[in-house]
Amino acid sequence: MENITGHEIVIGIDPVRDWHMALAWAADEAHRRSLGLGLALAVPPQHDPRHVDGTTHRVDLRRSGSETLEAAAAWARSRHPELEVSTHLLDGFPAPALGRLSQKGPMVVLGSRHLSRTEEFLSAGSLVVPVVAQAHCPVVVVGDAEHVSQEAPYVVVAIDGSESSKAALAVAFEEADARGCALRAISVWHQPLLSFQDKNVGLQMQRRLLSETVAGWSEKYPDVALTHEVLAGHPVEELAEAAEHALALVLGRRGNGGYTGMRLGSVVHGLLHRAHCPVITVPVARGT
């Protein structure tokens, strides 16, 4: 499995775009968690192996990729001199390669170019959608630097009652505990289409669901100040606004529940484009 260990946070390095912001996040996270850092760069196969020019081009790509990895590794070590950093030059298309690495690593980190949805799906270099969709571990998409404001630092976690949002809650507590910051658990009540359900009833049901989901976690993490609230509106807009100054937004990916009337996947995609803080997507816990 490409020599990545289960004790390394994996970051995909883009050979043609700036990787510093995502790498800074990944290096800091590995340092906080006392984990290693694995830098991965994949070189796709040549289009026509019969052409010598194609072979030469691929050799050039591998050489350039190796140089990029070494430069990124040196930069990460300068940020955290005690950090164990490894480099991995992989053969194959980047998205499947990183998807395979997610089977072993505790976390995969990617940078984001904030493409439109059309651009993201059509771009050959886009990794975010396919990696998030197939990853076996949490994936962090770092679009902007962590925000610093006058507010006390906090992490936001989205709760919708699905198994994946319960897995997200566990990751969110780990993040808040490692950072020594508060955790805001938020559930959003979205008016179902063609439904005449009373708003107050819907909010009350959502509050009950949220309370049941977070019950017992504060005993496990007594140092994490937990608040929880139910908002009404569109999940993407409400969660993005709540996380405007957050250190990270954590949410489950494609659980069995989901917000009424919409797939959780659509919320994930929307927040990957809308949120400014790092977005951590969490699949259903392994073995569940």
Side-chain angles (χ1 to χ4, degrees):
M1 186 61 67
E2 282 111 348
N3 298 321
I4 290 282
T5 74
H7 302 286
E8 287 182 325
I9 288 177
V10 176
I11 175 170
I13 298 296
D14 192 323
V16 296
R17 293 178 175 85
D18 186 68
W19 36 257
H20 290 83
M21 192 176 298
L23 181 54
W25 195 99
D28 292 350
E29 183 74 0
H31 175 70
R32 273 191 296 268
R33 292 174 174 259
S34 298
L35 294 171
L37 182 65
L39 281 58
L41 188 154
V43 179
Q46 61 196 71
H47 294 294
D48 189 347
R50 295 172 298 177
H51 290 177
V52 176
D53 288 346
T55 302
T56 302
H57 178 62
R58 194 163 189 279
V59 169
D60 291 340
L61 286 178
R62 287 185 61 84
R63 182 184 303 111
S64 175
S66 180
E67 292 172 352
T68 299
L69 281 175
E70 290 305 320
W75 191 86
R77 293 185 184 104
S78 69
R79 188 176 182 88
H80 294 289
E82 72 283 8
L83 190 63
E84 292 187 12
V85 181
S86 61
T87 60
H88 307 271
L89 187 64
L90 313 175
D91 290 313
F93 292 103
L98 287 170
R100 290 192 298 272
L101 294 182
S102 74
Q103 296 177 17
K104 294 187 66 177
M107 180 177 285
V108 171
V109 180
L110 301 173
S112 171
R113 288 174 282 152
H114 283 300
L115 300 176
S116 70
R117 287 195 179 190
T118 300
E119 290 172 325
E120 187 163 52
F121 279 108
L122 294 180
S123 172
S126 177
L127 289 176
V128 171
V129 169
V131 174
V132 167
Q134 65 183 286
H136 296 264
C137 69
V139 176
V140 187
V141 180
V142 182
D144 296 312
E146 290 188 346
H147 288 208
V148 177
S149 70
Q150 294 181 347
E151 296 184 53
Y154 65 97
V155 169
V156 169
V157 59
I159 302 297
D160 68 354
S162 66
E163 290 303 313
S164 61
S165 79
K166 295 175 183 177
L169 183 61
V171 172
F173 264 104
E174 291 176 4
E175 285 294 320
D177 188 55
R179 297 165 179 269
C181 71
L183 177 61
R184 294 177 61 188
I186 294 178
S187 186
V188 181
W189 182 76
H190 182 66
Q191 177 72 49
L193 294 175
L194 305 177
S195 171
F196 298 99
Q197 183 184 46
D198 181 78
K199 179 178 178 180
N200 291 330
V201 173
L203 290 173
Q204 184 177 2
M205 293 175 60
Q206 206 78 7
R207 291 189 188 98
R208 185 182 306 116
L209 179 150
L210 180 56
S211 296
E212 292 173 352
T213 302
V214 303
W217 279 96
S218 290
E219 297 175 5
K220 185 176 180 180
Y221 291 94
D223 295 330
V224 175
L226 173 67
T227 60
H228 45 89
E229 58 186 306
V230 173
L231 306 175
H234 192 286
V236 172
E237 296 302 319
E238 295 297 330
L239 289 168
E241 183 176 351
E244 184 67 26
H245 299 290
L247 295 178
L249 168 61
V250 188
L251 63 158
R253 191 196 78 222
R254 295 187 183 277
N256 296 324
Y259 293 105
T260 305
M262 63 171 59
R263 295 181 299 108
L264 186 60
S266 65
V267 176
V268 171
H269 285 173
L271 285 166
L272 287 173
H273 292 276
R274 175 71 171 78
H276 294 287
C277 67
V279 176
I280 306 175
T281 61
V282 184
V284 176
R286 298 170 188 175
T288 62

